[in-house]
Amino acid sequence: MRKMLDIQKKLVPDLVQVLQKRYDILHRIRVSGTVGRRTLAASVDLTERTLRAELDLLRAQGLLEAGTAGMTLSDAGKRLLEEMEPLVKEMFGLADLEEAVRAKFGLKQVVIVPGDSDDSDDVKRELGRAGSRVLRHVLTPGDVVAVMGGSTMARLAAHLSVPSPLRDNWFVPARGGLGESVDYQANTIAAELAKRTGARYRMLHVPDHLSEEAYQSIMQEPNVREVVDMIRSARIVVHGIGDATAMARRRKLDADTVQEILRDGALAEAFGYYFDREGAVVHRMATAGLRLEDIEAAESVIGVAGGHSKGEAIAAVMRFGHDDVLVTDEAAAQEALRHA
């Protein structure tokens, strides 16, 4: 594929430019869902006259549908975009970046979307879409999937779709989540994933952090124990990655605990554990749900996180060494490599 692209760039450079322009148009419409021509023209930096000609061609090819609210992708357009992604990654140099990150951290697979999630909600949505595709590809009948909470996981859930219902599958929260925004709780995300796939789900109605005494007590409850046992048997784990300070405060840890975590060198948070820059666990809180040994035993661990501000945190969690797949964006990938 690369050799063919190099030949095309030399012999027919305008062909590559046209391909990239039309891909940008289709991609922008997919990200927006439905978009008017004026807004679209501004986002792809084309005049309305030039864009009108391109849209007419794409619509004649059956790739677009026009409605009163604007342009949307047809099913054929959505399929074409997915088929084009390997080619476009070669054009943008993302394939090389994916391989560099994969090799540096010893991962099975790395998927990178263009852009920076810190600067664009569109990139955040693409990150969720890419994460949902990875999850869809690793799902097999009968799987138990444990999912963490957070805004990235919520976007992943919003994009997951399967060709037929997964009636034998279970989605479960990786840990308790009371105390976070309801939309971003692991319970909510597990339920949404189940609804979108026709699978089943269980909820874990316990606080995210517990005292040791409360933890020992709550684990004696048969209903809690049953859900926790299912969570700890998960074949697939899907999680986000956060900055240690931001996550500690979001989880409403007291100031003394936050200072203790930072003194210990915590840089990143994932699965409810705090990691230093070398990927060592420096802090954990008693919580019902996944333990490190359960993550190590899972067959597929998928990390989904983006934004240049998370690059160093992503590098720290990847050094921990138990992720199989990383889904991230271009800016975070470059930062992760820089800190590696």
Side-chain angles (χ1 to χ4, degrees):
M1 182 186 294
R2 174 164 297 179
K3 188 174 181 180
M4 180 60 70
L5 273 174
D6 289 341
I7 292 170
Q8 287 178 336
K9 286 176 181 177
K10 290 173 182 176
L11 291 180
V12 280
D14 54 334
L15 177 62
V16 176
Q17 292 165 4
V18 169
L19 187 149
Q20 184 168 342
K21 176 174 63 176
R22 290 175 183 166
Y23 174 84
D24 287 345
I25 292 170
L26 292 171
H27 180 263
R28 181 62 57 179
I29 294 171
R30 181 178 72 177
V31 167
S32 301
T34 302
V35 61
R37 192 161 56 202
R38 182 172 298 177
T39 302
L40 182 58
S43 66
V44 295
D45 196 24
L46 294 174
T47 65
E48 287 195 55
R49 181 178 178 181
T50 301
L51 178 63
R52 185 184 304 113
E54 295 293 341
L55 292 176
D56 287 345
L57 184 146
L58 294 171
R59 191 165 50 197
Q61 294 296 320
L63 304 175
L64 296 180
E65 295 173 354
T68 55
M71 309 297 300
T72 58
L73 285 189
S74 66
D75 289 340
K78 293 173 184 175
R79 285 194 300 271
L80 180 64
L81 270 186
E82 290 205 14
E83 291 166 1
M84 286 179 68
E85 283 192 2
L87 173 65
V88 171
K89 284 187 175 184
E90 290 284 358
M91 290 168 55
F92 292 163
L94 293 183
D96 289 340
L97 185 57
E98 287 177 341
E99 177 55 26
V101 174
R102 189 204 64 75
K104 175 61 70 176
F105 297 108
L107 300 165
K108 291 181 181 176
Q109 182 186 8
V110 174
V111 176
I112 296 175
V113 302
D116 186 345
S117 297
D118 286 348
D119 297 335
S120 169
D121 282 338
D122 290 343
V123 178
K124 289 179 182 178
R125 281 192 288 270
E126 281 301 287
L127 193 63
R129 192 190 310 275
S132 72
R133 284 202 303 271
V134 169
L135 176 56
R136 186 174 68 225
H137 290 153
V138 300
L139 277 171
T140 59
D143 281 342
V144 175
V145 182
V147 296
M148 295 296 297
S151 59
T152 304
M153 294 295 98
R155 286 185 170 90
L156 183 152
H159 286 106
L160 185 62
S161 62
V162 293
S164 56
L166 303 174
R167 303 189 192 284
D168 295 330
N169 292 64
W170 289 88
F171 287 94
V172 294
R175 52 187 295 164
L178 301 184
E180 281 198 81
S181 166
V182 172
D183 290 344
Y184 298 154
Q185 284 183 17
N187 279 328
T188 305
I189 292 164
E192 177 66 15
L193 286 165
K195 182 177 77 173
R196 296 186 69 86
T197 59
R200 293 176 284 179
Y201 66 94
R202 297 293 299 272
M203 289 189 171
L204 184 62
H205 294 293
V206 298
D208 193 26
H209 291 305
L210 300 162
S211 68
E212 190 61 35
E213 181 181 354
Y215 171 76
Q216 294 298 337
S217 175
I218 205 165
M219 290 300 285
Q220 302 304 313
E221 293 291 330
N223 289 341
V224 172
R225 184 77 245 181
E226 181 183 351
V227 176
V228 169
D229 286 345
M230 178 177 281
I231 291 168
R232 292 176 177 175
S233 73
R235 190 183 79 85
I236 300 171
V237 176
V238 189
H239 69 92
I241 297 170
D243 170 78
T245 305
M247 292 303 296
R249 288 172 177 157
R250 197 177 98 188
R251 296 185 187 282
K252 297 181 173 59
L253 301 188
D254 62 80
D256 289 343
T257 303
V258 173
Q259 288 304 312
E260 178 187 344
I261 289 171
L262 297 181
R263 278 197 305 270
D264 290 341
L267 184 72
E269 189 272 351
F271 334 111
Y273 291 79
Y274 293 84
F275 302 83
D276 65 16
R277 68 179 63 254
E278 300 305 320
V281 176
V282 296
H283 194 86
R284 66 174 294 274
M285 301 287 286
T287 181
L290 280 183
R291 304 161 300 184
L292 285 181
E293 54 263 42
D294 305 316
I295 295 159
E296 293 166 3
E299 291 184 31
S300 186
V301 181
I302 304 166
V304 187
H308 71 270
S309 63
K310 287 189 178 179
E312 192 173 9
I314 290 169
V317 175
M318 292 305 106
R319 285 195 188 99
F320 173 62
H322 292 288
D323 277 75
D324 300 293
V325 183
L326 171 65
V327 182
T328 189
D329 61 31
E330 189 176 4
Q334 291 168 342
E335 277 294 297
L337 282 179
R338 191 168 71 82
H339 288 288

